[in-house]
């Protein structure tokens, strides 16, 4: 397959070098134009915008809404590079019919934080990038499994003790209670249940069997291995090279000032500098989250990240900069919406890809707009068939799926899909483990890039 696929972990310098080279490549078959910035982040980082083609039908690619999903930024710039050169299927690109708009990073603050931190970790502890990333991918999966097993163990206890109606509260509180532990013992669990009015003799009797069921070695890990692999960082990894960087350092210092989060989260930073998650930053999720806050005081993330508090400004991010204030969209989202509204008003909007990190999924279904749903799924199937074909050519049986229909609008991706036809949210890599898990298998990384590039040409056709 005739494409250039980079294999590197991008960072501030590497990204800007890559973009510069793409724009000025003398071998470009299609001109890459650097457009006016879409806007800027709250620290003043520009929201860059490039385009290829001069047609009326605009196809918009944006990535990096979640700063830690670095593969999205990698993909968009790889696509730009290959399209500009007319590589592979792109030799047939109809530049008079289409314009492809590239917004490589919607959330520069989250992306720069993640990649500055990663750079320092990888410089100091990584000799073999693919192996390091694969170890991270495995640690991430193991952390997920440990959390699931402990939750199932707790559910079994609640069931045996006729306390099932309280199990959700018991589980949430459990993780808060043992937040600073690495491993648990039987006695830890017995002590915890003293907080509840349960049959303690019975608990003592059943606990050994239950622990063996989920943790045959009797070792119950609470620690987060994937976070430990990213742990050797501090705010010092971000250089104060200009006033935007200095503002970012100040904002991060504010988020981390009470030591609520492991420093490893700097290398896996979803939010923007205001501690807002740009996908959760919409009025629908704001309402849902506000209701939860009225019921629960502290809210933690789920699964392998359930030691990270999200009811305050955090690395994972809240729906609003301040949950006691009325809802506002962050500057990054406002810039994106303005751009899309303009295209729509000029009848130039055609299709968009909101590129996220992992899952191998396409969100194509709308919650309320059945007409768009039908159209989206038709096109999504063409896209996914091409992905399958590319993988099969390499003797891999990877299948990307269409996300099942949700019940309520929770993300900005959903908000866009209700209003714009073909507004896909693409979870790029079949591998899990943002930020570096997708780099733990070079071949898979290559196929992720090539299959998603060819799938674009498939739907244009
Ligand atoms: Zn995401």
């Amino acid at each position: 397959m005739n494409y250039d696929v980079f294999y590197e972990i991008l960072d501030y310098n590497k990204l800007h070098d890559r973009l510069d080279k793409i724009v000025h490549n003398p071998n470009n078959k299609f001109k890459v134009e650097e457009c006016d910035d879409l806007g800027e982040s709250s620290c003043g980082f520009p929201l860059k915008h490039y385009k290829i083609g001069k047609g009326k039908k605009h196809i918009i690619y944006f990535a990096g809404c979640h700063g830690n999903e670095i593969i999205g930024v990698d993909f968009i710039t790889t696509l730009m590079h290959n399209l500009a050169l007319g590589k592979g299927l792109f030799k047939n690109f109809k530049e008079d019919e289409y314009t492809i708009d590239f917004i490589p990073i919607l959330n520069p603050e989250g992306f720069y934080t993640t990649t500055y931190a990663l750079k320092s970790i990888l410089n100091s502890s990584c000799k073999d990038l693919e192996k390091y990333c694969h170890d991270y991918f495995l640690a991430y999966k193991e952390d997920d499994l440990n959390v699931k097993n402990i939750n199932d163990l707790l559910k079994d206890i609640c069931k045996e003790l006729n306390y099932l109606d309280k199990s959700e509260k018991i589980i949430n509180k459990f993780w808060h209670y043992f937040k600073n532990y690495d491993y648990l013992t039987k006695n830890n669990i017995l002590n915890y249940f003293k907080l509840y009015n349960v049959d303690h003799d019975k608990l003592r009797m059943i606990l050994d069997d239950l622990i063996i069921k989920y943790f045959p070695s009797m070792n119950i890990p609470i620690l987060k291995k994937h976070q430990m692999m990213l742990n050797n960082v501090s705010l010092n990894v971000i250089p104060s090279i200009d006033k935007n960087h200095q503002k970012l350092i100040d904002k991060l210092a504010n988020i981390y000032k009470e030591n609520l989060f492991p420093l490893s989260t700097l290398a896996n930073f979803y939010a923007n500098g205001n501690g807002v998650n740009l996908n959760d930053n919409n009025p629908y999720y704001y309402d849902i989250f506000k209701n939860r806050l009225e019921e629960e005081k502290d809210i933690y993330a789920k699964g392998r990240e359930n030691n990270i508090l999200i009811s305050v400004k955090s690395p994972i991010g809240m729906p609003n900069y301040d949950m006691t204030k009325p809802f506002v969209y962050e500057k990054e989202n406002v810039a994106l919406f303005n751009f899309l509204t303009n295209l729509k008003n000029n009848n130039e909007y055609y299709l968009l890809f909101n590129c996220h990190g992992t899952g191998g999924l396409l969100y194509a279904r709308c919650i309320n707009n059945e007409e768009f749903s039908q159209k989206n799924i038709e096109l999504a199937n063409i896209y996914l068939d091409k992905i399958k074909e590319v993988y099969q050519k390499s003797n891999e049986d990877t299948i990307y799926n269409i996300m099942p229909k949700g019940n309520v609008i929770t993300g900005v991706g959903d908000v866009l899909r209700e209003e714009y036809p073909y507004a896909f949210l693409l979870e790029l890599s079949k591998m899990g483990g943002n930020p570096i898990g997708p780099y733990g298998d070079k071949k898979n990384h290559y196929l992720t890039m090539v299959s998603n590039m060819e799938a674009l040409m498939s739907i244009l056709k």
Side-chain angles (χ1 to χ4, degrees):
M1 278 176 270
N2 182 27
Y3 297 94
D4 296 334
V5 172
F6 308 96
Y7 182 76
E8 62 177 354
I9 305 291
L10 284 170
D11 59 37
Y12 186 83
N13 290 322
K14 282 183 186 158
L15 174 73
H16 290 287
D17 280 355
R18 190 187 281 189
L19 285 167
D20 216 43
K21 280 190 187 135
I22 292 170
V23 173
H24 298 111
N25 193 329
N27 299 322
N28 281 346
K29 185 174 167 197
F30 303 108
K31 186 177 158 41
V32 184
E33 195 180 320
E34 185 168 355
C35 310
D36 290 342
D37 298 336
L38 234 52
E40 58 178 37
S41 73
S42 59
C43 292
F45 289 109
L47 305 174
K48 295 292 220 177
H49 172 208
Y50 303 83
K51 68 180 184 188
I52 298 178
K54 36 191 186 266
K56 285 282 275 179
K57 294 175 181 166
H58 282 250
I59 289 147
I60 303 103
Y61 275 87
F62 71 90
C65 150
H66 291 140
N68 62 332
E69 294 173 11
I70 58 177
I71 187 163
V73 179
D74 194 358
F75 171 66
I76 289 199
T77 47
T78 302
L79 170 62
M80 266 173 87
H81 170 92
N82 284 282
L83 174 57
L85 290 170
K87 291 258 178 189
L89 295 183
F90 295 131
K91 66 178 182 294
N92 300 322
F93 176 66
K94 293 181 179 139
E95 63 174 333
D96 294 324
E97 189 174 352
Y98 300 106
T99 298
I100 316 285
D101 293 277
F102 299 91
I103 303 157
I105 317 183
L106 189 65
N107 172 13
E109 294 164 9
F111 179 82
Y112 296 149
T113 303
T114 296
T115 53
Y116 273 124
L118 277 177
K119 187 178 166 185
S120 96
I121 294 161
L122 297 175
N123 279 348
S124 62
S125 38
C126 159
K127 305 230 156 26
D128 176 345
L129 182 62
E130 189 179 18
K131 183 177 183 308
Y132 194 84
C133 295
H134 198 259
D135 288 348
Y136 177 83
F137 165 74
L138 295 177
Y140 191 92
K141 280 214 306 203
E142 192 183 327
D143 290 345
D144 262 346
L145 186 64
N146 285 336
V147 170
K148 184 185 178 297
N149 280 339
I150 291 172
N151 287 345
D152 287 348
L153 169 87
L154 293 170
K155 266 181 229 154
D156 281 3
I157 293 175
C158 292
K159 195 170 154 196
E160 292 286 335
L161 301 177
N162 289 323
Y163 229 65
L164 214 47
D165 53 327
K166 296 264 191 326
S167 72
E168 205 182 310
K169 274 207 173 109
I170 288 178
I171 291 172
N172 286 341
K173 202 163 168 180
F174 181 91
W175 288 104
H176 179 68
Y177 192 85
F178 290 114
K179 201 165 56 157
N180 299 318
Y181 283 60
D182 285 345
Y183 290 88
L184 293 183
T185 62
K186 180 183 172 188
N187 272 339
N188 293 140
I189 298 177
L190 286 171
N191 281 336
Y192 173 68
F193 273 92
K194 284 186 183 151
L195 296 172
Y196 300 95
N197 182 23
V198 297
D199 183 341
H200 293 280
D201 293 332
K202 187 168 179 195
L203 177 59
R204 204 175 294 276
M205 269 167 45
I206 61 171
L207 195 51
D208 278 329
D209 283 348
L210 285 176
I211 292 176
I212 287 173
K213 177 176 168 193
Y214 292 104
F215 297 95
S217 64
M218 297 297 278
N219 222 354
I220 310 172
I222 292 273
L223 76 182
K224 313 293 188 200
K225 285 191 180 167
H226 79 287
Q227 291 173 357
M228 292 167 76
M229 282 186 75
L230 303 179
N231 229 352
N232 282 326
V233 284
S234 71
L235 281 175
N236 296 333
V237 300
I238 298 164
S240 48
I241 50 179
D242 56 27
K243 65 176 194 329
N244 302 338
H245 279 74
Q246 190 51 55
K247 271 190 198 159
L248 177 59
I249 294 170
D250 293 345
K251 278 179 188 272
L252 293 171
N254 181 42
I255 291 174
Y256 285 85
K257 69 173 186 267
E258 289 175 58
N259 295 318
L260 292 174
F261 313 107
L263 282 167
S264 66
T265 51
L266 285 167
N268 196 10
F269 202 93
Y270 298 61
N272 68 5
N274 289 337
V276 176
N277 184 312
L278 291 185
N279 194 48
D280 294 348
N281 177 226
N282 66 80
Y284 307 94
Y285 194 65
Y286 170 83
D287 284 344
I288 294 170
F289 200 77
K290 212 171 161 60
N291 287 337
R292 261 190 88 183
L293 276 173
E294 278 163 22
E295 308 238 313
E296 307 163 54
K297 196 168 131 285
D298 295 320
I299 301 177
Y300 287 86
K302 292 244 178 277
R304 96 286 308 185
E305 281 165 328
N306 67 0
N307 60 336
I308 300 175
L309 195 62
I310 53 171
S311 42
V312 294
K313 281 178 190 290
S314 79
I316 293 182
M318 294 195 294
N320 204 33
Y321 74 105
D322 182 339
M323 287 305 296
T324 64
K325 302 263 166 64
F327 174 78
V328 282
Y329 277 113
E330 290 291 293
K331 286 176 86 170
E332 297 87 341
N333 279 331
V334 172
L336 175 71
F337 293 156
N338 286 343
F339 173 64
L340 293 175
T341 307
N342 268 337
L343 283 180
K344 194 180 178 185
N345 291 343
N346 294 332
N347 278 324
E348 292 186 339
Y349 170 86
Y350 194 58
L351 192 150
L352 83 78
F353 284 101
N354 170 1
C355 301
H356 285 246
T358 58
L361 280 168
L362 206 54
Y363 286 71
R365 295 189 162 91
C366 303
I367 312 277
N368 302 315
N369 193 330
E370 199 42 43
E371 185 205 336
F372 282 3
S373 259
Q374 294 300 334
K375 288 167 75 170
N376 293 353
I377 289 168
E378 233 171 87
L379 211 56
N381 279 324
I382 296 173
Y383 191 93
L384 299 188
D385 282 349
K386 189 67 186 183
I387 302 251
K388 194 170 160 186
E389 186 193 312
V390 172
Y391 272 86
Q392 275 174 348
K393 267 190 215 156
S394 287
N395 299 317
E396 300 266 341
D397 264 337
T398 295
I399 294 174
Y400 278 42
N401 299 308
I402 297 180
M403 187 69 181
K405 188 175 183 322
N407 301 321
V408 282
I409 292 174
T410 54
V412 165
D414 304 327
V415 174
L416 292 173
R417 211 155 38 255
E418 297 295 321
E419 196 180 332
Y420 294 89
Y422 307 131
F424 299 111
L425 188 154
L426 172 61
E427 294 282 10
L428 276 160
S429 174
K430 271 308 266 192
M431 292 185 72
N434 288 309
I436 55 174
Y439 296 87
D441 181 341
K442 249 186 201 175
K443 184 181 178 195
N444 192 285
H445 173 72
Y446 180 84
L447 289 173
T448 300
M449 297 286 157
V450 172
S451 62
N452 282 284
M453 287 196 283
E454 293 214 323
L456 165 65
M457 288 308 278
S458 235
I459 55 172
L460 292 190
K461 201 168 148 191

